[in-house]
Amino acid sequence: MLGGVENHSLPRTAAFFDLDKTVIAKSSTLTFSKSFYQGGLINKRAVLRTAYAQFVFMAGGADHEQMERMRQYLSALCQGWNVQQVREIVAETLHELIDPIIYDEAASLIEEHHAAGRDVVIVSTSGAEVVEPIGALLGADRVVATRMVVEDGAFTGEVEYYAYGPTKAEAIRELAASEGYDLTRCYAYSDSVTDIPMLESVGHPHAVNPDRGLRREAVARDWPVLSFSRPVRLKQRVRALPMPSRPALVAAAAFGAAAATAGLVWLANRRRTPASALSAFSVKSKELRPGLPLPSRQE
């Protein structure tokens, strides 16, 4: 299905995965809303609003205007949230909330790519504070995600780097240049038409549970269309992915960790003021560090 083990005399390769509705069955940025409520970060009204947003997202009915309104709402909501508190909430509830909604088919693909010698990279519009711990749970080698501005240990509500649409493809090209990936031999997976630039950037694009627009493009371009439908706890799988220890998850969460919900959105204006402009990538030993926001404390 994926070809044999990589010939290490050739350039390196990777498999790039979108996260929401591709690797997991829901929106990662909205899944933690109840936990944030229990932690005192949001009120009941905000929980109901994020539940509705989750429904719209799952139904595939969010258009550009809805996404922009959601971005504005969530950016305002996360303003003032204590970053450390968010990290702790994510670390404490990660297994409970995310483990049951990981697609078995996606977990198997991750295993197959690793067995073939390819790196696995999660590329998500959701916030780094959420995506990085999920990446650790999945055994991903690197993460690209949205990042929020932080001052004095709290989110300002401003977006520093937004991993959306064409910027995902830019991040992949930057990572390929720094890591030596041959993109013509790399793989990519996504459910959304907004990720066509990411899919176009590799030699082996795949549409997973595609929305209407992506399905139309996939058929027109003869891209494989995959259907993932079996969420399963990792520990219940026959070939379980290596489960990181709790200290490892807490450490991963410490690199980011709470980015609730501003991640479903379109960045209306990439040319923001210097405080919120897109920042350059910084590649750490095992991760590319663009990440995303959190919603702000609501009194």
Side-chain angles (χ1 to χ4, degrees):
M1 176 177 172
L2 298 177
V5 176
E6 290 292 312
N7 182 338
H8 293 290
S9 65
L10 298 174
R12 300 172 62 202
T13 57
F16 301 94
F17 287 82
D18 176 46
L19 182 61
D20 300 346
K21 295 174 70 176
T22 301
V23 175
I24 63 175
K26 295 182 180 180
S27 162
S28 57
T29 57
L30 298 174
T31 297
F32 287 92
S33 61
K34 184 177 179 181
S35 296
F36 293 141
Y37 166 71
Q38 292 171 339
L41 294 176
I42 59 177
N43 58 24
K44 288 184 178 180
R45 182 178 180 182
V47 173
L48 292 174
R49 189 161 181 177
T50 54
Y52 173 73
Q54 181 79 272
F55 168 78
V56 171
F57 177 73
M58 294 304 296
D63 59 20
H64 168 69
E65 291 184 2
Q66 289 172 317
M67 297 294 262
E68 174 56 19
R69 287 197 299 269
M70 181 60 66
R71 182 193 69 81
Q72 293 172 352
Y73 168 71
L74 293 171
S75 294
L77 184 64
C78 81
Q79 183 180 359
W81 280 17
N82 180 275
V83 176
Q84 183 58 35
Q85 182 183 4
V86 173
R87 291 172 178 167
E88 291 172 356
I89 290 172
V90 172
E92 289 169 1
T93 58
L94 182 68
H95 280 288
E96 173 189 351
L97 298 178
I98 299 300
D99 195 3
I101 62 173
I102 295 170
Y103 283 122
D104 185 37
E105 298 94 334
S108 295
L109 265 179
I110 289 171
E111 290 173 346
E112 291 178 35
H113 282 297
H114 272 150
R118 302 182 189 100
D119 285 352
V120 170
V121 183
I122 303 297
V123 186
S124 176
T125 302
S126 296
E129 296 79 7
V130 163
V131 178
E132 286 168 357
I134 295 174
L137 182 68
L138 293 164
D141 299 283
R142 290 168 183 81
V143 161
V144 176
T146 300
R147 186 170 62 245
M148 288 300 282
V149 176
V150 177
E151 292 181 1
D152 299 324
F155 292 98
T156 67
E158 295 294 318
V159 178
E160 182 180 4
Y161 169 80
Y162 195 72
Y164 183 86
T167 62
K168 282 189 177 184
E170 293 170 9
I172 287 174
R173 287 191 291 269
E174 291 279 349
L175 189 55
S178 66
E179 296 298 319
Y181 298 142
D182 178 357
L183 289 178
T184 65
R185 296 167 55 235
C186 288
Y187 293 71
Y189 303 85
S190 178
D191 71 291
S192 175
V193 68
T194 63
D195 282 338
I196 285 179
M198 179 179 90
L199 296 172
E200 288 176 331
S201 68
V202 301
H204 302 282
H206 293 72
V208 177
N209 298 340
D211 59 25
R212 188 175 304 172
L214 180 56
R215 182 177 295 276
R216 182 167 52 246
E217 289 293 324
V219 170
R221 301 177 189 224
D222 200 27
W223 290 348
V225 176
L226 308 179
S227 178
F228 293 176
S229 60
R230 299 193 306 274
V232 62
R233 288 185 178 275
L234 293 182
K235 63 183 179 181
Q236 294 175 345
R237 303 182 67 247
V238 175
R239 277 188 70 195
L241 288 165
M243 297 294 286
S245 64
R246 177 174 175 75
L249 287 174
V250 173
F255 282 116
T261 30
L264 290 179
V265 298
W266 192 288
L267 184 60
N269 183 0
R270 292 178 60 197
R271 298 181 181 274
R272 303 173 67 91
T273 60
S276 61
L278 300 184
S279 66
F281 303 117
S282 62
V283 180
K284 304 191 80 170
S285 60
K286 272 295 187 180
E287 59 196 329
L288 183 67
R289 285 269 308 160
L292 163 82
L294 250 316
S296 121
R297 173 181 288 276
Q298 183 141 335
E299 302 296 338

